[in-house]
Amino acid sequence: MSTETEGKKQSLSITDNRTGKSYEVPIADGTIRSTDLRKIRVDADDFGLMTYDPAFMNTAACRSAITYIDGDKGILRYRGYDIAELAEKSTYLEVAYLLLSGELPTQTQLDEFTRSVTLHTFVHENVKELMDGFRYDAHPMGMLIATVGALSTFYPEAKNIFDQPTRHLQIVRLLAKMPTIAAWSYRHSVGLRYIYPDNDLAYAGNFLSMMKRMAELSYKVNPILERALDILFILHADHEQNCSASAMRGVGSSQVDPYSAVAAAAAALYGPLHGGANEAVLRMLHQIGNVANVPAFIKEVKGGSGSRLMGFGHRVYKNYDPRAKVIKKLADEVFEVTGKNPLLDIALELERIALQDEYFVSRKLYPNVDFYSGLIYQAMGFPVDMFPVLFAIPRTVGWLAQWEEMLLDSEQKIARPRQIYTGKDLRSFVPMDKR
Ligand code: CMC
């Protein structure tokens, strides 16, 4: 069956040269369904034609109305709103509401949402003890992954994922508790006592308080730094079907509770090619050490040594990452308060050279979100180990929006890719003395 648009057939005709047979496959949204290819067979025993797509380079695994990216033009929109406009005019919790519900909240809706998130910032005291059990030098991201997964044991009702109020409660809990667990992971790794949430503060301000408060009764938040962090949270809130969102959907498709699925998504984010890249950028800048060493480093990257210019390149963006543009501007505002990060000059020089170098230009490698974010985090006093954690806090809402959309999508089932088997054919077991 084929549909017609403006008199043109929306279908694909395929001739199988193995059999000489022809087939017609419908096209919808510029896409064919892989399962439509299964009817293409050499004989009755044939499983049917499959597509091979390692790393999902050209396969849509879902329909989604959350985030739109045009990588060639450098466009990123949440629910239709441009990222730069949201960064300028909105707040993280407002954007979180938007991502989850599809619409910007009214004042009353935002107040109610903010109130619920604020009310759930505390964690069970046993969570504190659990976190205390980690080694003194545990990486905060490892602690975050384990602790958020452990939350499923505190909220066994979370497994009722098809009950809307229960699902909503877990979403609110996760948004509220991630900053608490994140801040405590840091406090643990530097041997400082855990600071309880301060519910008089806004989302980003409360996180800063839990990170930084020492002997004072309440933490005085610098409004410029608080706003900068809130903007960074907005920029990191979602990014459609990236590695961690795919992990969230893939693991969530087994109908596990959202705490376990978020732990899996956070684990995916930890890798240096994903959320760990901002950490890798800072280590790279330290390793380069000086503006004078930049040309030699670029030469090394181009020479096929295996080292990459971290914070450059993206699977989807073949243009300047729109988030990097906002962050570059934001860096100036933050540095006004904190003083300039000395590594900035190295970063600017790397960008300057790379943007005119044939290697990077021909491969369309531009700065991505991680190139400048680390410099801001460092200037704000966050240690490098905390960078992926700072990514995980705001991305939690993106994971949850993707997860909920997946659960409510009647076309989705447990994720289960196919494979092309390349191993041995049937053979007989060889006894130990004959091997
Ligand atoms: N430095 C040097 N060369 C690069 C880089 C880079 N950062 N990124 C890609 N290339 C080259 C790569 O070697 C390949 O060259 P050739 O065609 O000669 O083999 C070509 O560009 C295409 O690269 P690819 O690895 O096939 O591209 P990909 O889409 O698989 O990888 C990426 C995307 C982000 C993993 C990669 O660009 C990369 O490793 N970048 C550095 C790590 C980084 O900054 N990651 C953060 C991504 S943004 C945050 C997030 O959303 O997680």
Side-chain angles (χ1 to χ4, degrees):
M1 191 179 57
S2 65
T3 49
E4 302 240 343
T5 308
E6 290 166 10
K8 295 220 174 72
K9 254 184 167 179
Q10 295 297 302
S11 69
L12 181 73
S13 296
I14 303 170
T15 303
D16 185 346
N17 293 323
R18 299 170 302 175
T19 59
K21 283 192 197 156
S22 289
Y23 303 83
E24 195 176 345
V25 176
I27 299 176
D29 301 312
T31 307
I32 61 161
R33 282 183 182 258
S34 300
T35 45
D36 282 344
L37 301 177
R38 288 278 290 279
K39 63 186 175 197
I40 304 177
R41 301 164 179 218
V42 232
D43 53 44
D45 292 337
D46 187 359
F47 176 79
L49 201 66
M50 292 195 302
T51 54
Y52 177 56
D53 189 10
F56 301 107
M57 297 288 287
N58 196 39
T59 296
C62 64
R63 301 172 70 85
S64 181
I66 302 171
T67 292
Y68 172 78
I69 300 176
D70 183 327
D72 289 326
K73 296 198 181 108
I75 292 173
L76 168 62
R77 295 181 198 139
Y78 296 159
R79 301 282 189 185
Y81 295 98
D82 187 72
I83 191 68
E85 197 178 6
L86 289 171
E88 188 191 332
K89 299 178 182 164
S90 192
T91 63
Y92 174 68
L93 282 187
E94 192 178 23
V95 166
Y97 185 100
L98 170 71
L99 285 167
L100 290 165
S101 77
E103 296 299 333
L104 285 169
T106 61
Q107 190 62 56
T108 316
Q109 288 168 331
L110 181 60
D111 291 347
E112 174 47 33
F113 183 63
T114 305
R115 204 180 77 88
S116 336
V117 171
T118 309
L119 283 179
H120 285 93
T121 49
F122 280 70
V123 291
H124 193 290
E125 282 295 296
N126 287 5
V127 171
K128 211 168 82 178
E129 286 163 31
L130 175 92
M131 294 182 77
D132 257 340
F134 281 91
R135 243 178 74 139
Y136 70 96
D137 60 351
H139 193 293
M141 192 64 176
M143 288 183 69
L144 180 88
I145 293 166
T147 310
V148 74
L151 285 185
S152 72
T153 65
F154 290 85
Y155 307 111
E157 77 276 18
K159 62 177 181 293
N160 299 325
I161 53 172
F162 292 110
D163 178 58
Q164 197 278 333
T166 307
R167 198 168 61 232
H168 182 71
L169 177 59
Q170 314 318 314
I171 289 176
V172 167
R173 279 180 173 149
L174 272 158
L175 296 183
K177 293 180 200 312
M178 279 299 261
T180 311
I181 297 170
W184 289 8
S185 307
Y186 162 71
R187 303 285 295 203
H188 181 88
S189 68
V190 288
L192 286 168
R193 77 187 166 94
Y194 302 153
I195 301 293
Y196 285 104
D198 180 344
N199 287 349
D200 289 333
L201 295 174
Y203 196 80
N206 171 49
F207 174 65
L208 285 171
S209 161
M210 290 187 289
M211 285 288 294
K212 293 181 180 277
R213 208 178 105 201
M214 298 302 287
E216 65 272 39
L217 277 181
S218 60
Y219 182 73
K220 255 191 119 27
V221 185
N222 180 304
I224 295 176
L225 299 187
E226 183 183 24
R227 176 66 189 146
L229 190 60
D230 206 55
I231 292 174
L232 286 164
F233 282 177
I234 292 172
L235 298 177
H236 286 88
D238 192 49
H239 212 228
E240 53 117 303
Q241 308 313 315
N242 54 82
C243 180
S244 57
S246 304
M248 182 79 194
R249 280 178 176 264
V251 173
S253 76
S254 74
Q255 301 189 354
V256 74
D257 68 88
Y259 301 101
S260 304
V262 165
L269 186 72
Y270 194 6
L273 297 189
H274 190 11
N278 48 17
E279 182 173 349
V281 170
L282 253 275
R283 295 199 197 287
M284 173 190 76
L285 294 176
H286 274 294
Q287 185 204 329
I288 296 172
N290 196 302
V291 172
N293 299 333
V294 167
F297 180 76
I298 295 270
K299 199 167 159 206
E300 185 190 320
V301 168
K302 290 174 6 180
S305 63
S307 45
R308 290 198 158 190
L309 177 48
M310 299 311 285
F312 257 68
H314 201 277
R315 170 63 55 80
V316 179
Y317 294 117
K318 301 302 167 197
N319 201 324
Y320 214 103
D321 182 334
R323 301 167 297 175
K325 262 190 206 156
V326 178
I327 293 181
K328 198 175 171 187
K329 207 167 133 256
L330 193 63
D332 292 333
E333 290 164 31
V334 170
F335 296 160
E336 287 273 314
V337 179
T338 60
K340 197 174 93 177
N341 187 324
L343 297 174
L344 177 68
D345 290 336
I346 302 174
L348 288 171
E349 182 63 0
L350 276 172
E351 181 185 328
R352 192 187 67 76
I353 296 186
L355 290 185
Q356 58 192 26
D357 188 293
E358 204 276 326
Y359 175 94
F360 296 91
V361 174
S362 63
R363 289 171 177 77
K364 300 190 175 164
L365 301 171
Y366 291 87
N368 61 47
V369 67
D370 293 311
F371 194 64
Y372 287 105
S373 60
L375 290 174
I376 301 189
Y377 292 146
Q378 196 180 49
M380 286 171 80
F382 296 120
V384 171
D385 278 357
M386 273 300 281
F387 292 3
V389 176
L390 288 159
F391 194 155
I393 296 170
R395 182 53 62 87
T396 300
V397 75
W399 294 330
L400 291 167
Q402 299 282 345
W403 169 72
E404 194 166 43
E405 185 176 64
M406 183 264 310
L407 289 180
L408 301 179
D409 181 346
S410 60
E411 278 202 300
Q412 291 294 339
K413 289 166 177 276
I414 186 165
R416 195 355 180 141
R418 294 279 171 185
Q419 66 165 12
I420 301 170
Y421 178 67
T422 61
K424 301 271 192 247
D425 222 336
L426 180 67
R427 46 187 178 157
S428 295
F429 182 80
V430 182
M432 189 64 83
D433 60 344
K434 299 255 164 50
R435 285 177 215 164

